[in-house]
Amino acid sequence: MTTTPDVTELESTLLAEVTAADSLEALEAVRVSVLGRKGRITEQMKGLGGLEGEARKAAGQSLNRVKDNVTAAISAHQLDLEAAALEARLAGETTDVTLPVRPRPHGRIHPVSQAMEECIAIFGEMGFAVAEGPDIEDDFHNFTALNIPPEHPARQMHDTFYLPERDDGSRLVLRTHTSPVQIRTMENSKPPIRVIAPGRTYRSDSDATHTPMFHQIEALVVDETTHMGHLKGCIIDFCRAFFGIPDLPVRFRPSHFPFTEPSMEVDIGCSRAGGELRIGNFGDGADNWLEIMGSGMVHPKVLEYGGIDPAKYQGFAFGMGIDRIAMLKYGIADLRTFFDADLRWLSHYGFAPLAVPSMVRGL
Ligand code: PHE
């Protein structure tokens, strides 16, 4: 090569090719064809070897300028193409936030669990701790220690489920009430005692208000000066808090349980007007009472069986059916539906998990 290359024309040709590249791939092809090992500028550079002195210097300078300009143009165009590609991708991948979410199934809290939680929260506020005992009990804890000796008619009244006879002739039972937890608590702790025992209980019984398995909550307080005023105040406060009715009438009616003396059944005010049962204060109508629990001062013999000196300590106890108070509070007519495991029923009568008012005041 002996002449100075016409770089002006070369430059405009190359710049036009750069501008015309409409994709990053096309631009890369242009770059290789210009600056690659066999590219057009590279080839021209090699041709400089045939020039002499000043001419070679001048040609080299102008070629280098063209190279710089084309390189700059490629970089600038590359940025534009990259921005355009990103725009296109973002436009293609937009999320339509107006699309409704697909409903997801939520679990519901069973009314029995809900009622149990509410009871625990109320008694927790009063300073009670939760105690537990086994569902399968021995005769001593379910009966004898509760002052129900073998020939006592209460044993028949309880419709007990017995397990098969053991080698020593004794039979374990499915506990017929939560009262055996009273004995177990006394055996395992010293007064002052202030516990509640929620749990499953079993009796061979089945109709609209009885199921073979049901739930009770038991309370036991033992201290040196515990008296019936404490029992009454505690039960009245509980009933009013649980049903959310500040002036709910509560009545104590003399009764009999082998493990308490004196014993009282507890009734709450209600109305049966129009054949509909409603809990509350409806004035002084004669028969508008509903029995909801058994209660009494712990029998001295029971304290003794529990290893507590009845000359020094006294206490009160009460027990009630959780399923029953749940039916009353939530307006559920048939107890058996609690245990049908029907999801439609549960989604209607169940509670949203966040609605469990555990440990909050003012239920
Ligand atoms: N255990 C009794 C029942 O199941 C209830 C009760 C408990 C009564 C504590 C008095 C004291 O019916």
Side-chain angles (χ1 to χ4, degrees):
M1 190 182 289
T2 54
T3 52
T4 306
D6 182 356
V7 292
T8 320
E9 201 185 314
L10 177 66
E11 181 170 17
S12 50
T13 310
L14 296 183
L15 288 177
E17 282 182 30
V18 170
T19 316
D22 58 0
S23 70
L24 287 165
E25 293 76 34
L27 185 63
E28 175 63 9
V30 172
R31 191 189 66 77
V32 172
S33 82
V34 177
L35 304 167
R37 221 151 34 85
K38 294 212 163 92
R40 277 165 288 170
I41 290 189
T42 320
E43 290 292 333
Q44 296 262 5
M45 291 285 197
K46 286 181 192 160
L48 291 177
L51 294 177
E52 295 290 330
E54 283 302 308
R56 178 176 168 175
K57 190 175 168 196
Q61 281 174 347
S62 31
L63 260 184
N64 267 329
R65 205 181 52 247
V66 174
K67 186 182 173 189
D68 289 347
N69 289 346
V70 173
T71 305
I74 289 176
S75 301
H77 196 48
Q78 182 175 348
L79 287 180
D80 288 348
L81 287 173
E82 278 171 357
L86 181 63
E87 277 304 316
R89 215 180 120 197
L90 286 176
E93 291 177 1
T94 350
T95 308
D96 181 358
V97 291
T98 64
L99 196 67
V101 253
R102 291 204 184 91
R104 267 200 271 151
H106 289 291
R108 307 289 283 179
I109 305 284
H110 194 283
V112 171
S113 305
Q114 174 77 15
M116 210 182 261
E117 278 287 326
E118 291 181 16
C119 291
I120 292 170
I122 294 166
F123 288 120
E125 283 284 314
M126 294 185 191
F128 284 83
V130 173
E132 286 185 308
D135 287 17
I136 298 175
E137 261 300 0
D138 53 41
D139 184 278
F140 176 77
H141 289 92
N142 197 78
F143 294 123
T144 306
L146 288 162
N147 196 29
I148 312 174
E151 69 287 357
H152 198 285
R155 293 203 175 199
Q156 274 67 58
M157 280 163 52
H158 274 198
D159 303 310
T160 312
F161 285 115
Y162 286 94
L163 274 71
E165 213 169 272
R166 292 189 293 181
D167 288 346
D168 63 0
S170 68
R171 303 176 91 179
L172 294 174
V173 302
L174 295 184
R175 66 178 180 192
T176 56
H177 50 178
T178 41
S179 301
V181 185
Q182 287 188 37
I183 306 300
R184 293 190 176 273
T185 305
M186 290 190 265
E187 285 171 340
N188 296 322
S189 51
K190 290 187 171 23
I193 291 171
R194 204 184 284 133
V195 292
I196 47 163
R200 294 194 184 91
T201 46
Y202 307 83
R203 290 181 202 176
S204 179
D205 214 351
S206 185
D207 59 39
T209 53
H210 298 88
T211 50
M213 189 280 296
F214 57 107
H215 301 82
Q216 285 192 339
I217 188 160
E218 186 94 7
L220 174 69
V221 174
V222 179
D223 206 344
E224 289 183 34
T225 57
T226 304
H227 56 69
M228 200 136 101
H230 298 134
L231 175 154
K232 290 181 73 176
C234 179
I235 290 176
I236 292 171
D237 277 359
F238 167 77
C239 292
R240 292 180 174 167
F242 181 79
F243 289 103
I245 304 171
D247 65 344
L248 179 66
V250 180
R251 179 176 81 168
F252 294 81
R253 187 164 36 79
S255 183
H256 172 78
F257 299 102
F259 33 92
T260 47
E261 182 61 35
S263 303
M264 291 141 295
E265 245 143 358
V266 181
D267 301 338
I268 54 175
C270 67
S271 153
R272 294 185 171 85
E276 193 195 341
L277 179 65
R278 279 178 300 152
I279 309 296
N281 187 353
F282 298 95
D284 50 8
D287 271 326
N288 293 330
W289 294 102
L290 191 70
E291 187 242 306
I292 63 157
M293 70 173 94
S295 71
M297 300 305 293
V298 181
H299 197 291
K301 278 195 176 171
V302 172
L303 289 171
E304 225 165 80
Y305 275 119
I308 290 175
D309 179 4
K312 186 166 179 207
Y313 292 103
Q314 51 192 15
F316 69 80
F318 56 87
M320 72 192 113
I322 295 177
D323 321 73
R324 181 163 161 72
I325 60 171
M327 285 171 81
L328 293 171
K329 179 165 180 178
Y330 311 132
I332 300 167
D334 190 327
L335 177 61
R336 290 167 296 198
T337 59
F338 276 135
F339 310 112
D340 283 345
D342 182 339
L343 280 178
R344 293 163 305 171
W345 181 90
L346 191 57
S347 67
H348 179 78
Y349 285 107
F351 292 80
L354 287 176
V356 178
S358 323
M359 308 305 155
V360 286
R361 281 172 186 278
L363 293 163

